[in-house]
Amino acid sequence: MNTVLIADDTIYEELYDVRREAEHAGNLVEEDMNPAMNALRERAPVQKGFLRELLNLPFHQRHVMAVGRQGYTSFTWEACNTAFRDHERFSSRIMHHPAAGEEQRLGILEMDEPQHRCYRNMLQPMFIRPKTLTWWRDRFINEIVDTLVSNLKSQDRAELNLQLCARVPVHTITRAIGMQGDDALVFRHAIVKSSAHGRISVEEARAASETVDRMLIDLIAKRRAAPGDDVITGLLQAELELPDGTKRPLTEREIVINARLVMLAGGGTSWRQFGITLWALLTHRDQLEAVKADRSLVDKAIEESVRWNPTDPVFSRLVAEDTELEGVALPAGAVLEICLGAANRDPARWSNPDAYDLHRPPQGHMGFGMGAHQCLGMNVARSEIHVGVNALLDAFPNLRLDPDQPAPYLTGGLEQRGMSAIPVLLR
Ligand code: HEM
């Protein structure tokens, strides 16, 4: 099972290249957009226009629902916080993809209350503490990280974005779902393709989506026959309590949709954020030394990286009724883009917000979202990065950027940012 984990497989290079991933999705932005997002926030808390329009970037619409609609963007902490929390005025139905028919594809991410709460209540026990601290970490993350870091011990140099950051989440999630070995990469490949509405044909995306469904349906059948200790078994055994109080098990279709969402939401985000965390530490040597000396700072380092550069700095909502936000009138049917990247650097909330500073006083950020849809897997992500950073520092106390390689930079789309590469010297 560990062979695929450490394999020198080109499929990792194909799947885990932030720049290529964005090019493939048709939304590549090379430049660091933080200064421009900050400038927009200073201009006004809420503005007419999609974020990309306001930033003078080529239009790329990831939500089919947004086509032909008016766009608005919120920038300040206050405005973004209100938009995330007020699900009656700002609906998550924007995530729905009508091109796929009326069928749901993104499970709870595209639901509104009270339906969302019912499904989330049923999923939540598999993701919240203490389960994340014990089940996910002890059953999967520790062993995966240990294998990967041990494998690096024979090397003097490494590219951590590919050799560590990419591999921990994909194998954690696929094993947690109940998949083994090569299936992890086949599944990841198919799921990335199935959700790429950029450069691949509709037929290719549909074929990939069918592969995803088939693999999940096979797995569900296996777990029905022989329950295991995994997320699919958990979903098979879960009881959904509907708003009217009736209770029932999930249908096979509901299990497929929610398992697919967990895979999609948890595969790429943690990889990119893990890389951003390492980059932050490796380029702020004084803070890296502080973390080495006091490992209780690892969690602060992770949290500060999600505030400073969240991998995905913008999420959308559908305006459900004629309303206003920070004095700007928003018509029903418009799209509101919540620029949490700008809100996370709002000087009204943080002093010196553009600096990466893990010593700043703890203060909630928006990198995992806010309100009812706040990231379900955030503690899994935190655990993956926590175990990974600690293992690296234990094994390689002299860890530093490789001066003979190009310096890492933040790249990808405005919608999914991550590191170009993280070349390091291990000794
Ligand atoms: C550092 C890594 C991660 C970041 C930055 C992140 C970020 C986010 C954000 C901002 C949202 C809110 C979306 C919205 O309000 O529309 C979200 C939702 C979600 N995330 Fe994550 N995520 C990460 C890792 C994960 C992982 C590892 C998993 C699964 C194991 C996961 C599963 C989910 C799910 C299922 C939702 C939907 C929750 C709902 O709609 O109630 N995420 N994530």
Side-chain angles (χ1 to χ4, degrees), residues 157-204:
R157 296 162 189 263
E159 202 287 84
L160 294 178
N161 205 28
L162 198 61
Q163 289 188 274
L164 182 67
C165 305
R167 299 181 192 221
V168 176
V170 66
H171 290 286
T172 299
I173 303 271
T174 37
R175 286 186 193 183
I177 290 272
M179 280 181 193
Q180 306 292 332
D182 290 351
D183 280 357
L185 294 185
V186 176
F187 192 78
R188 173 78 190 156
H189 198 240
I191 209 160
V192 168
K193 269 182 124 179
S194 74
S195 58
H197 16 96
R199 302 275 162 93
I200 63 168
S201 68
V202 175
E203 291 74 35
E204 257 186 294

Coordinates of all heavy atoms in Angstrom, one line a residue, residues 157-204:
R157 N 18.4 16.7 -0.9 CA 17.5 17.8 -1.4 C 16.1 17.2 -1.6 O 16.0 16.0 -1.8 CB 17.9 18.3 -2.7 CG 19.3 19.0 -2.7 CD 19.8 19.1 -4.1 NE 21.2 19.5 -4.0 CZ 21.6 20.8 -4.1 NH1 20.8 21.7 -4.4 NH2 22.9 21.1 -3.9
A158 N 15.1 18.0 -1.6 CA 13.8 17.5 -1.9 C 12.9 18.7 -2.5 O 13.3 19.8 -2.4 CB 13.1 17.0 -0.7
E159 N 11.8 18.3 -3.1 CA 10.8 19.3 -3.5 C 9.6 19.0 -2.7 O 8.8 18.0 -3.0 CB 10.6 19.1 -5.1 CG 10.0 20.4 -5.7 CD 8.6 20.7 -5.4 OE1 8.3 21.2 -4.3 OE2 7.7 20.3 -6.2
L160 N 9.4 19.7 -1.6 CA 8.4 19.3 -0.6 C 6.9 19.5 -1.1 O 6.1 18.7 -0.7 CB 8.6 20.1 0.7 CG 9.9 19.8 1.4 CD1 10.0 20.7 2.7 CD2 10.0 18.3 1.8
N161 N 6.7 20.4 -2.0 CA 5.3 20.6 -2.5 C 4.8 19.3 -3.1 O 3.7 18.9 -3.0 CB 5.3 21.7 -3.6 CG 3.9 22.4 -3.6 OD1 3.2 22.4 -2.7 ND2 3.6 22.9 -4.8
L162 N 5.7 18.6 -3.9 CA 5.3 17.4 -4.6 C 5.6 16.1 -3.7 O 4.8 15.2 -3.7 CB 6.2 17.3 -5.9 CG 5.6 16.3 -6.9 CD1 4.3 16.7 -7.4 CD2 6.6 16.3 -8.1
Q163 N 6.7 16.1 -3.0 CA 7.1 14.9 -2.3 C 6.4 14.7 -0.9 O 6.4 13.6 -0.4 CB 8.6 14.9 -2.1 CG 9.3 14.6 -3.4 CD 10.8 14.4 -3.2 OE1 11.6 15.3 -3.2 NE2 11.2 13.1 -3.1
L164 N 5.9 15.8 -0.4 CA 5.2 15.7 0.9 C 3.8 16.3 0.9 O 2.8 15.6 1.1 CB 6.0 16.3 2.0 CG 5.5 16.2 3.4 CD1 5.5 14.8 3.9 CD2 6.3 17.1 4.4
C165 N 3.7 17.6 0.6 CA 2.4 18.3 0.8 C 1.3 17.7 -0.1 O 0.2 17.6 0.4 CB 2.6 19.8 0.4 SG 3.9 20.6 1.3
A166 N 1.6 17.3 -1.3 CA 0.6 16.8 -2.2 C 0.1 15.5 -1.7 O -1.0 15.1 -1.9 CB 1.2 16.7 -3.6
R167 N 1.1 14.7 -1.2 CA 0.7 13.3 -1.0 C 0.0 13.0 0.3 O -0.8 12.1 0.4 CB 2.0 12.4 -1.0 CG 2.7 12.6 -2.3 CD 4.0 11.7 -2.4 NE 4.7 12.1 -3.6 CZ 5.3 11.3 -4.4 NH1 5.4 10.0 -4.2 NH2 6.0 11.7 -5.5
V168 N 0.2 13.9 1.3 CA -0.5 13.6 2.6 C -2.0 13.7 2.5 O -2.7 12.7 2.8 CB 0.0 14.6 3.7 CG1 -0.7 14.4 5.0 CG2 1.5 14.4 4.0
P169 N -2.6 14.8 1.9 CA -4.0 14.8 1.9 C -4.7 13.8 1.0 O -5.7 13.2 1.4 CB -4.3 16.2 1.3 CG -3.0 17.0 1.5 CD -1.9 16.0 1.5
V170 N -4.1 13.6 -0.2 CA -4.8 12.7 -1.1 C -4.9 11.2 -0.5 O -5.9 10.6 -0.6 CB -4.2 12.6 -2.5 CG1 -2.8 12.1 -2.6 CG2 -5.1 11.9 -3.5
H171 N -3.8 10.8 0.1 CA -3.8 9.5 0.7 C -4.6 9.4 2.0 O -5.2 8.4 2.3 CB -2.4 8.9 0.9 CG -1.8 8.7 -0.5 ND1 -2.1 7.6 -1.2 CD2 -0.9 9.4 -1.2 CE1 -1.5 7.6 -2.4 NE2 -0.7 8.7 -2.4
T172 N -4.6 10.5 2.8 CA -5.4 10.6 4.0 C -6.9 10.4 3.6 O -7.6 9.6 4.1 CB -5.2 11.9 4.7 OG1 -3.8 12.0 5.1 CG2 -6.1 12.0 6.0
I173 N -7.3 11.2 2.7 CA -8.8 11.2 2.3 C -9.2 9.9 1.7 O -10.2 9.3 2.0 CB -9.1 12.4 1.4 CG1 -8.7 13.7 2.0 CG2 -10.6 12.4 1.1 CD1 -9.7 14.4 2.9
T174 N -8.4 9.4 0.7 CA -8.8 8.2 0.1 C -8.8 7.0 1.0 O -9.7 6.2 1.0 CB -7.9 7.9 -1.2 OG1 -6.6 8.2 -0.9 CG2 -8.5 8.6 -2.4
R175 N -7.8 7.0 1.9 CA -7.8 5.9 2.9 C -9.0 6.0 3.9 O -9.6 5.0 4.3 CB -6.5 5.8 3.7 CG -5.4 5.3 2.9 CD -4.1 5.1 3.8 NE -3.0 4.9 2.9 CZ -1.8 4.7 3.4 NH1 -1.6 4.6 4.7 NH2 -0.7 4.5 2.6
A176 N -9.3 7.3 4.2 CA -10.4 7.5 5.2 C -11.8 7.1 4.5 O -12.7 6.6 5.2 CB -10.5 8.9 5.6
I177 N -11.8 7.3 3.2 CA -13.1 6.9 2.5 C -13.1 5.4 2.4 O -14.2 4.8 2.4 CB -13.1 7.5 1.1 CG1 -13.3 9.0 1.1 CG2 -14.0 6.8 0.2 CD1 -14.7 9.5 1.1
G178 N -11.9 4.8 2.4 CA -11.9 3.3 2.4 C -11.2 2.7 1.1 O -11.3 1.5 0.9
M179 N -10.6 3.6 0.4 CA -9.9 3.1 -0.9 C -8.4 2.8 -0.5 O -7.8 3.4 0.4 CB -9.9 4.2 -1.9 CG -11.2 4.3 -2.6 SD -11.1 5.6 -3.9 CE -12.9 5.7 -4.2
Q180 N -7.9 1.9 -1.3 CA -6.5 1.5 -1.1 C -5.6 1.7 -2.3 O -6.1 1.7 -3.4 CB -6.5 0.0 -0.8 CG -7.4 -0.5 0.3 CD -6.9 0.1 1.7 OE1 -5.8 0.3 1.9 NE2 -7.9 0.3 2.6
G181 N -4.3 1.8 -2.0 CA -3.3 1.8 -3.1 C -3.5 2.7 -4.3 O -3.8 3.9 -4.1
D182 N -3.3 2.1 -5.5 CA -3.4 2.9 -6.7 C -4.7 3.6 -6.9 O -4.8 4.6 -7.6 CB -3.2 2.0 -7.9 CG -1.8 1.4 -8.0 OD1 -0.9 1.9 -7.2 OD2 -1.5 0.5 -8.8
D183 N -5.8 3.1 -6.3 CA -7.1 3.7 -6.5 C -7.1 5.2 -6.1 O -7.8 6.0 -6.6 CB -8.1 3.0 -5.6 CG -8.6 1.7 -6.3 OD1 -8.1 1.4 -7.4 OD2 -9.4 1.0 -5.7
A184 N -6.2 5.5 -5.1 CA -6.2 6.9 -4.6 C -5.9 7.9 -5.8 O -6.5 8.9 -5.9 CB -5.1 7.0 -3.5
L185 N -4.9 7.5 -6.6 CA -4.5 8.4 -7.7 C -5.5 8.4 -8.8 O -5.8 9.4 -9.5 CB -3.1 8.1 -8.1 CG -2.0 8.4 -7.1 CD1 -0.6 8.2 -7.7 CD2 -2.1 9.8 -6.5
V186 N -6.0 7.2 -9.1 CA -6.9 7.0 -10.2 C -8.2 7.9 -9.8 O -8.7 8.7 -10.7 CB -7.4 5.6 -10.4 CG1 -8.5 5.4 -11.4 CG2 -6.2 4.7 -10.7
F187 N -8.6 7.8 -8.6 CA -9.7 8.6 -8.1 C -9.5 10.1 -8.2 O -10.3 10.8 -8.7 CB -10.1 8.1 -6.7 CG -11.4 8.6 -6.2 CD1 -12.6 7.9 -6.6 CD2 -11.5 9.7 -5.4 CE1 -13.8 8.4 -6.2 CE2 -12.8 10.1 -5.0 CZ -13.9 9.5 -5.4
R188 N -8.3 10.5 -7.7 CA -8.0 11.9 -7.7 C -8.0 12.5 -9.1 O -8.5 13.5 -9.4 CB -6.6 12.1 -7.0 CG -6.1 13.5 -7.0 CD -6.8 14.5 -6.0 NE -6.4 15.9 -6.3 CZ -7.1 16.9 -5.9 NH1 -8.2 16.8 -5.3 NH2 -6.7 18.1 -6.2
H189 N -7.4 11.7 -10.0 CA -7.3 12.1 -11.4 C -8.7 12.3 -11.9 O -9.0 13.4 -12.6 CB -6.5 11.0 -12.2 CG -6.0 11.5 -13.5 ND1 -6.4 10.9 -14.7 CD2 -5.1 12.5 -13.8 CE1 -5.8 11.5 -15.6 NE2 -5.0 12.5 -15.2
A190 N -9.5 11.4 -11.7 CA -10.9 11.4 -12.2 C -11.7 12.6 -11.6 O -12.4 13.3 -12.3 CB -11.6 10.1 -12.0
I191 N -11.5 12.8 -10.3 CA -12.3 13.8 -9.6 C -11.9 15.2 -10.1 O -12.7 16.1 -10.2 CB -12.3 13.6 -8.1 CG1 -13.6 14.1 -7.5 CG2 -11.1 14.3 -7.4 CD1 -13.9 13.6 -6.2
V192 N -10.6 15.4 -10.3 CA -10.1 16.7 -10.8 C -10.6 17.0 -12.2 O -11.2 18.0 -12.5 CB -8.5 16.7 -10.8 CG1 -8.0 18.0 -11.5 CG2 -8.0 16.8 -9.3
K193 N -10.6 15.9 -13.0 CA -11.1 16.1 -14.4 C -12.6 16.4 -14.4 O -13.1 17.2 -15.1 CB -10.8 14.8 -15.2 CG -9.5 14.9 -15.9 CD -9.4 13.6 -16.7 CE -9.1 13.9 -18.2 NZ -9.0 12.7 -19.0
S194 N -13.3 15.7 -13.5 CA -14.8 15.8 -13.5 C -15.2 17.2 -13.1 O -16.3 17.6 -13.5 CB -15.4 14.7 -12.6 OG -15.2 15.1 -11.2
S195 N -14.4 17.9 -12.4 CA -14.8 19.2 -12.0 C -14.1 20.3 -12.7 O -14.2 21.5 -12.4 CB -14.6 19.4 -10.5 OG -13.2 19.2 -10.2
A196 N -13.3 20.0 -13.8 CA -12.6 21.0 -14.5 C -13.6 21.5 -15.6 O -13.8 20.8 -16.6 CB -11.4 20.4 -15.2
H197 N -14.1 22.7 -15.4 CA -15.0 23.2 -16.5 C -14.2 24.3 -17.2 O -14.6 25.4 -17.5 CB -16.3 23.8 -16.0 CG -16.4 24.0 -14.5 ND1 -16.2 25.2 -14.0 CD2 -16.7 23.2 -13.5 CE1 -16.4 25.1 -12.7 NE2 -16.7 23.9 -12.4
G198 N -13.0 23.9 -17.6 CA -12.1 24.9 -18.4 C -11.8 24.3 -19.7 O -12.5 24.4 -20.7
R199 N -10.6 23.6 -19.7 CA -10.1 23.2 -21.0 C -10.5 21.8 -21.6 O -10.0 21.5 -22.6 CB -8.6 23.3 -20.9 CG -8.0 24.7 -20.5 CD -7.9 25.6 -21.8 NE -7.8 27.0 -21.4 CZ -6.7 27.6 -21.2 NH1 -5.6 27.0 -21.4 NH2 -6.7 28.9 -20.9
I200 N -11.2 21.0 -20.8 CA -11.5 19.7 -21.3 C -12.9 19.7 -21.9 O -13.7 20.5 -21.5 CB -11.2 18.6 -20.3 CG1 -12.2 18.7 -19.1 CG2 -9.8 18.5 -19.9 CD1 -12.2 17.5 -18.2
S201 N -13.1 18.7 -22.8 CA -14.5 18.6 -23.4 C -15.5 18.1 -22.4 O -15.2 17.5 -21.4 CB -14.4 17.7 -24.6 OG -14.2 16.4 -24.1
V202 N -16.8 18.5 -22.7 CA -17.9 18.0 -21.8 C -17.9 16.5 -21.7 O -18.1 15.9 -20.6 CB -19.2 18.5 -22.4 CG1 -20.4 18.0 -21.6 CG2 -19.2 20.0 -22.5
E203 N -17.6 15.8 -22.8 CA -17.6 14.3 -22.8 C -16.5 13.8 -21.9 O -16.7 12.9 -21.1 CB -17.3 13.8 -24.2 CG -18.4 14.0 -25.3 CD -18.5 15.5 -25.7 OE1 -17.4 16.1 -25.8 OE2 -19.6 16.0 -25.9
E204 N -15.3 14.4 -21.9 CA -14.2 14.0 -21.1 C -14.6 14.2 -19.6 O -14.3 13.3 -18.8 CB -12.9 14.8 -21.3 CG -11.9 14.1 -22.2 CD -10.6 15.0 -22.2 OE1 -10.7 16.1 -22.9 OE2 -9.6 14.6 -21.7

